């Protein structure tokens, strides 16, 4: 939204240079410029000549694991297969935008893109992805059966076909300071309930100067606050929508869960909760400002890394529950192939390499075992080298992922897959708007029922559109 | 000149025309089968959306506060820098620095290094001061939650004060020195000189700085996105459009919002350009 200046001439200003008459060259250039822009063939920087028989364009999110992949590609993939890989690496929001533009028009600019388990079923239903199941079955070295079942299932669309292969996966669990609990004479139950966690948070609040009981995300966003909150809602017996598309956001169960979440944060949560997301909680945990943290399993890798002050002092418990057997979420970044891509074979070769067992070992040996894109293969958790490095949280992570049930995460049947989200295109907007309301309840600007009544209206709008279909 | 004009039209006006066209289309990126002509539906949605109405109010409040406060601070700094003293160059450079920091980096710095309630510098300083007096229980206010809009405003004021200072300093240094001399001889006090000579001379520069500042601050996105994620009533217009585009993937409605905002900012820009051109006219006639 830049203001444009309607080229006003300034009186009293004499142009010192008489404008020269332009020759035909200038006109041609101008015409070409217009023609190009009207042609609308805008190509991003990623389009670096996709003519070669063995060049593929890959669009991916700018997470550290992907950046490592980019570094290792030339030496370990292109040299072996002769397939050149052009990467376009973008932040998550930009990635989703570019990806949906390219895939929805089936422009074929990108052969492979990194999708999460949120987009994969949606894209597959729109007919934008190539099914990968048969290729995976034929490719013996890939070992499809080695993939953890929930991860594999979350990348399977409604038609029962696999449309993406995981690069790494994560769930959620409870991280807690073993030393602080021991000093306070408390023990963490092997399978804690949320009520027990709340009681522990109350006792641990102030266990050391400046230490709060628990860190939970409060920053608005469907990928921030809405994720842990939804996993709590599930286990309290709530849901966003019923099977037949009735919005249930201000139902008693959803309200009880939100009240619990907001109350726990307001009483014993970290300081600055309404702006605290994953990064802030990680900092708080590392700085000893909180005794417990419920968040993504990926957080453990950072807590146990060499430069972390709390390495070795953290214990891991399954995601707390109330009415369900488990409540950990499931998230994975995976590779999908665009249906319109003319390099299907080369694309599969790339996926087979990047998501294969060999690549995990390669990263472990070349860059360090903490950088392995884990959480997708059973074999990773049998690898002695990996276990030696990540033993503290490896088993807890694997259990969290394998007990996740993306198709049935609550106490009632769901209309769409997803644990910490609802697998419909509208959820990114709905979840974000609702998380804004809940975040403002955490800040004490409105009550939980007020926040959820507003949210219910938003959810009803979405539900109406689906009930008609 | 023609190719340049054509080029200008192609790169500035055509995208806008495309935006206007899209704003009449029902187009959600994730529902490709449901695309079509929407007539004024998008605009209806824009004007009936309570979130957008509050965003307009937030934008006005944010812009006016940031521009006025940084204008006053910038004027004070410019007057101080107009004097001759040792190390003036270094001080001037240091004062300009906030304006040179990348906006996103500045916002991250404010969010994490300064405001953060558990490991930020502000609360850390409070702890240290209280410790000096032997108290183990310092106040630890949660700045971004207690006053979210003010948190964003302070970060922006810090960034825009140098800009205002630069423009006003240029204005001060173009002041004819003999007039001040004459006023001094006639027995004018410092306040009189400021009130009757400096301020009238600076009026144009103040207007210019305020209008340019407004055009920029209205568009601010980085601080809102980074510090509060648009939460707690800090979502301004650019952030709201971003949400419609990136979270809702609703290109039609986002374009309609964009068109409405462009129309509003054109009004502001018209005034700005008038001021600038009258300023240039004076420079020329002088």
């Amino acid at each position: 939204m830049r203001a444009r200046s309607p080229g006003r001439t300034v009186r009293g200003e004499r142009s010192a240079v008489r404008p020269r008459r332009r020759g035909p060259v200038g006109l041609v250039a101008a015409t070409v410029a217009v023609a190009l822009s009207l042609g609308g063939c805008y190509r991003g920087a990623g389009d670096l000549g996709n003519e070669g028989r063995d060049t593929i364009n890959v669009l991916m999110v700018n997470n550290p694991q992907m950046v490592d992949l980019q570094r290792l590609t030339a030496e370990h993939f292109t040299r072996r297969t002769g397939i050149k890989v052009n990467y376009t690496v973008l932040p998550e929001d930009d990635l989703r935008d570019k990806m949906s533009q390219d895939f929805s028009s089936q422009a074929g600019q990108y052969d492979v893109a990194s999708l999460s388990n949120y987009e994969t079923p949606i894209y597959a239903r729109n007919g934008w992805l190539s099914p990968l199941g048969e290729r995976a079955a034929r490719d013996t070295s890939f070992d499809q059966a080695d993939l953890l079942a929930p991860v594999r299932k979350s990348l399977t669309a409604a038609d029962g076909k696999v449309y993406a292969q995981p690069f790494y996966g994560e769930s959620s669990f409870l991280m807690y300071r073993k030393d602080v609990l021991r000093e306070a004479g408390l023990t963490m139950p092997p399978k804690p309930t949320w009520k027990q966690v709340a009681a522990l948070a109350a006792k641990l609040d102030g266990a050391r100067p400046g230490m709060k009981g628990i860190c939970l995300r409060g920053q608005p966003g469907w990928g921030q606050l809405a994720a842990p909150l939804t996993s709590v809602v599930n286990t309290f017996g709530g849901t966003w929508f019923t099977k037949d598309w009735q919005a249930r956001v201000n139902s008693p169960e959803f309200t009880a869960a939100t009240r619990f979440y907001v109350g726990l944060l307001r009483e014993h949560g970290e300081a600055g909760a309404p702006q605290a997301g994953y990064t802030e909680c990680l900092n708080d945990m590392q700085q000893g400002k909180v005794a417990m943290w419920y968040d993504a399993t990926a957080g453990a890798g950072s807590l146990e890394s060499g430069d972390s002050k709390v390495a070795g002092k953290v214990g891991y418990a399954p995601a707390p529950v109330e009415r369900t057997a488990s409540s950990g979420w499931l998230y994975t970044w995976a590779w999908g192939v665009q249906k319109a891509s003319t390099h299907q074979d080369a694309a599969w070769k790339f996926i087979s390499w990047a998501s294969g067992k060999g690549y995990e070992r390669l990263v472990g040996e070349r860059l360090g075992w903490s950088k392995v894109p884990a959480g997708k293969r059973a074999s990773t958790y049998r690898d002695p080298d990996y276990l030696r490095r990540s033993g503290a949280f490896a088993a807890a992570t694997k259990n969290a992922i394998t007990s996740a049930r993306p198709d049935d995460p609550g106490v009632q049947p769901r209309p769409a897959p997803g644990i910490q989200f609802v697998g419909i295109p509208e959820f990114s907007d709905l979840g974000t708007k609702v998380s804004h309301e809940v975040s403002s309840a955490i800040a004490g600007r409105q009550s939980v029922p007020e926040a959820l009544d507003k949210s219910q209206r938003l959810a009803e709008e979405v539900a109406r559109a689906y009930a008609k279909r | 000149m023609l190719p340049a004009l054509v080029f200008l039209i192609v790169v500035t006006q055509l995208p806008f025309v495309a935006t206007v066209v899209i704003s009449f289309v029902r187009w959600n990126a994730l529902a490709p089968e449901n695309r079509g002509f929407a007539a004024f539906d998008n605009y209806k949605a824009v004007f009936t959306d309570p979130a957008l109405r509050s965003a307009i109010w937030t934008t006005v409040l944010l812009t006016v506060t940031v521009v006025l406060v940084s204008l006053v601070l910038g004027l004070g700094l410019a007057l101080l820098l107009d004097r001759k003293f040792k190390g003036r160059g270094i001080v001037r450079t240091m004062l300009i620095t906030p304006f040179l920091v990348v906006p996103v980096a500045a916002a991250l710095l404010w969010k994490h290094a300064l405001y953060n309630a558990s490991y930020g510098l502000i609360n850390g300083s409070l702890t240290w001061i209280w410790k000096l007096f032997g108290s183990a229980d310092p106040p630890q206010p949660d700045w971004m939650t207690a006053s979210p809009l003010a948190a964003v405003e302070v970060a922006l004021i810090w960034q825009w004060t140098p800009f205002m200072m630069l423009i006003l300093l240029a204005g001060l240094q173009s002041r004819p020195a003999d007039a001040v001399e004459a006023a001094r001889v006639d027995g004018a006090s410092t306040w009189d000189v400021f009130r009757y000579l400096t301020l009238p001379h600076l009026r144009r520069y103040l207007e210019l700085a305020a209008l340019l500042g407004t055009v920029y601050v209205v568009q601010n996105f980085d601080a809102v996105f980074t510090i509060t994620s648009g939460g707690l009533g800090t979502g301004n217009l650019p952030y709201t459009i971003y949400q419609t585009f990136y979270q809702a993937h609703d290109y039609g409605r986002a374009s309609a919002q964009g068109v409405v905002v462009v129309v509003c900012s054109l009004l502001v820009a018209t005034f700005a350009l008038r001021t600038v051109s009258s300023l240039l006219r004076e420079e020329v006639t002088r």
Side-chain angles (χ1 to χ4, degrees):
Chain A
M1 42 175 282
R2 279 213 180 281
R4 286 171 195 74
S5 61
R8 288 169 62 108
T9 50
V10 180
R11 271 186 302 139
E13 233 194 343
R14 266 286 161 75
S15 170
V17 187
R18 288 278 303 281
R20 271 191 312 124
R21 284 243 177 269
R22 282 293 161 94
V25 176
L27 271 178
V28 169
T31 321
V32 169
V34 173
L36 277 178
S37 67
L38 290 181
C41 52
Y42 169 73
R43 285 293 198 216
D47 193 47
L48 302 169
N50 197 357
E51 296 81 43
R53 193 175 49 80
D54 34 22
T55 299
I56 56 167
N57 290 335
V58 175
L59 177 68
M60 62 184 185
V61 69
N62 65 347
N63 291 351
Q65 293 90 330
M66 317 280 180
V67 177
D68 291 342
L69 177 76
Q70 197 178 359
R71 280 221 308 263
L72 296 168
T73 300
E75 190 184 336
H76 298 278
F77 177 68
T78 306
R79 187 176 291 179
R80 195 167 50 79
T81 58
I83 299 167
K84 201 168 160 300
V85 185
N86 292 326
Y87 286 106
T88 304
V89 188
L90 294 170
E92 199 169 325
D93 280 339
D94 301 344
L95 165 96
R96 285 202 165 90
D97 177 51
K98 209 168 187 66
M99 195 161 67
S100 65
Q101 280 174 11
D102 191 50
F103 279 53
S104 63
S105 57
Q106 286 294 296
Q109 186 181 338
Y110 298 104
D111 305 293
V112 179
S114 64
L115 301 97
S116 74
N117 52 330
Y118 168 65
E119 287 105 4
T120 304
I122 297 171
Y123 277 32
R125 202 186 50 226
N126 291 338
W128 298 345
L129 299 172
S130 304
L132 300 176
E134 284 174 20
R135 284 178 186 278
R138 280 204 305 270
D139 186 340
T140 45
S141 67
F142 184 74
D143 195 1
Q144 175 87 350
D146 182 37
L147 296 173
L148 298 172
V151 176
R152 197 173 56 223
K153 237 172 57 193
S154 74
L155 301 170
T156 306
D159 61 2
K161 290 182 182 160
V162 173
Y163 282 93
Q165 296 295 0
F167 183 52
Y168 63 88
E170 63 171 38
S171 178
S172 58
F173 55 21
L174 185 69
M175 297 162 262
Y176 60 93
R177 288 281 298 274
K178 290 185 291 194
D179 52 338
V180 178
L181 262 81
R182 206 170 27 242
E183 278 166 32
L186 302 166
T187 46
M188 177 64 69
K191 281 196 73 169
T193 66
W194 270 115
K195 298 271 179 352
Q196 287 169 327
V197 172
L200 281 171
K203 289 191 184 115
L204 291 166
D205 198 342
R208 290 187 183 179
M211 186 181 263
K212 294 301 231 172
I214 190 165
C215 203
L216 296 168
R217 296 182 194 177
Q219 184 182 345
W222 76 277
Q224 287 285 7
L225 159 64
L229 176 66
T230 303
S231 75
V232 175
V233 166
N234 288 335
T235 195
F236 271 70
T239 181
W240 287 79
F241 301 103
T242 60
K243 182 82 185 159
D244 53 355
W245 291 110
Q246 298 289 316
R248 308 293 288 147
V249 176
N250 57 1
S251 66
E253 297 84 4
F254 202 116
T255 310
T258 314
R259 258 191 216 283
F260 173 84
Y261 191 96
V262 172
L264 180 56
L265 256 185
R266 284 179 64 79
E267 280 159 34
H268 309 296
E270 74 279 9
Q275 290 81 28
Y278 173 84
T279 314
E280 287 77 6
C281 278
L282 175 63
N283 274 333
D284 279 337
M285 192 76 183
Q286 284 183 325
Q287 303 285 341
K289 298 278 183 188
V290 289
M292 295 187 285
W293 178 28
Y294 169 64
D295 213 306
T297 51
S302 309
L303 291 179
E304 301 289 350
S305 69
D307 52 0
S308 165
K309 279 194 257 181
V310 294
K313 298 178 186 169
V314 185
Y316 302 91
V321 289
E322 276 300 314
R323 290 173 52 187
T324 55
S326 67
S327 79
W329 71 59
L330 186 70
Y331 195 77
T332 171
W333 280 108
W335 308 110
V337 179
Q338 182 164 187
K339 206 174 206 153
S341 161
T342 51
H343 305 79
Q344 302 280 339
D345 289 341
W348 172 256
K349 277 191 187 131
F350 167 77
I351 293 175
S352 172
W353 171 71
S355 290
K357 294 176 194 172
Y359 178 76
E360 290 190 7
R361 286 211 63 85
L362 174 73
V363 173
E365 282 155 13
R366 289 289 302 269
L367 305 173
W369 290 97
S370 62
K371 297 196 170 210
V372 169
K376 66 174 184 287
R377 289 183 169 274
S379 57
T380 316
Y381 298 95
R382 292 192 298 265
D383 187 321
D385 290 319
Y386 179 76
L387 290 178
R388 205 170 26 244
R389 184 68 195 70
S390 317
F393 56 89
T397 303
K398 186 189 170 206
N399 293 341
I401 294 173
T402 46
S403 60
R405 294 189 306 166
D407 294 323
D408 182 23
V411 300
Q412 64 283 87
R414 303 293 173 93
I419 302 177
Q420 77 281 23
F421 55 79
V422 184
I424 52 172
E426 291 81 359
F427 184 76
S428 56
D429 188 43
L430 174 67
T432 301
K433 283 182 172 153
V434 170
S435 67
H436 272 284
E437 300 297 342
V438 176
S439 183
S440 119
I442 293 168
R445 292 168 167 253
Q446 60 180 352
S447 69
V448 170
E450 270 178 79
L452 293 184
D453 285 343
K454 286 184 207 165
S455 306
Q456 170 73 6
R457 278 197 290 280
L458 296 168
E460 275 168 359
E461 245 175 79
V462 172
R464 253 198 305 277
Y466 276 92
K468 274 188 246 164
R469 289 179 197 177
Chain B
M1 279 311 279
L2 183 67
L5 183 69
V6 169
F7 180 73
L8 190 79
I9 289 174
V10 165
V11 297
T12 63
Q13 303 307 307
L14 281 187
F16 181 62
V17 171
T19 307
V20 172
V21 171
I22 293 170
S23 71
F24 290 100
V25 175
R26 186 173 57 247
W27 182 9
N28 188 311
L30 293 170
E33 69 282 349
N34 184 23
R35 213 179 288 177
F37 182 68
F40 283 95
D41 287 1
N42 286 325
Y43 286 94
K44 235 179 269 165
V46 166
F47 285 112
T48 53
D49 181 7
L52 197 79
R53 273 205 296 274
S54 74
I56 290 174
W57 175 235
T58 306
T59 309
V60 171
L61 204 65
L62 182 80
T63 310
V64 169
T65 315
V66 170
V67 169
L68 285 184
V69 175
S70 48
L71 204 58
V72 171
L73 289 175
L75 178 63
L77 290 172
L79 285 169
L80 289 174
L81 275 182
D82 197 32
R83 301 167 172 227
K84 289 204 170 25
F85 58 90
K86 229 188 168 76
R88 186 167 75 156
I90 293 173
V91 171
R92 193 169 49 203
T93 312
M94 274 162 51
L95 280 172
I96 294 168
T97 311
F99 190 59
L100 305 179
V101 177
V102 179
V104 170
L108 276 173
L109 212 80
W110 279 91
K111 179 176 185 178
H112 287 276
L114 296 167
Y115 287 139
N116 189 294
S118 28
Y119 51 84
L121 181 72
I122 301 177
N123 283 1
S125 310
L126 287 177
T127 310
W128 179 72
I129 292 167
W130 256 250
K131 214 178 256 173
L132 287 184
F133 295 98
S135 161
D137 188 26
Q140 296 285 290
D142 181 355
W143 303 96
M144 290 180 289
T145 305
S147 41
L149 195 60
V152 175
E153 282 164 356
V154 168
L156 282 174
I157 288 165
W158 175 82
Q159 218 177 351
W160 284 97
T161 299
F163 170 83
M164 305 292 182
M165 180 193 85
L166 274 180
I167 292 184
L168 296 177
L169 191 59
L172 280 176
Q173 300 194 329
S174 71
R175 198 173 43 162
D178 48 3
V180 179
E181 291 284 321
R184 289 267 183 223
V185 170
D186 291 342
S189 70
T190 309
W191 169 246
D192 289 336
V193 171
F194 175 73
R195 171 72 189 76
Y196 295 103
L197 286 175
T198 312
L199 214 50
H201 172 78
L202 274 186
R203 209 201 79 188
R204 291 234 171 277
Y205 294 92
L206 283 167
E207 282 175 3
L208 173 70
L211 283 161
L212 284 180
T214 306
V215 169
Y216 284 118
V217 176
V218 157
Q219 304 175 23
N220 180 272
F221 173 81
D222 326 64
V224 173
F225 174 80
T226 308
I227 295 176
T228 56
S229 316
L232 311 183
T234 57
N236 61 352
L237 282 167
Y239 187 83
T240 309
I241 295 175
Y242 157 85
Q243 269 200 320
T244 312
F245 195 92
Y246 280 102
Q247 308 283 1
H249 299 280
D250 195 331
Y251 297 170
R253 194 180 296 186
S255 300
Q257 288 175 342
V259 170
V260 171
V261 170
V262 164
V263 168
C264 294
S265 38
L266 271 181
L267 294 174
V268 174
T270 313
F271 287 111
L273 288 162
R274 283 221 180 115
T275 312
V276 177
S277 55
S278 66
L279 193 82
L280 288 172
R281 244 201 318 280
E282 280 198 8
E283 293 289 327
V284 170
T285 52
R286 204 173 271 153

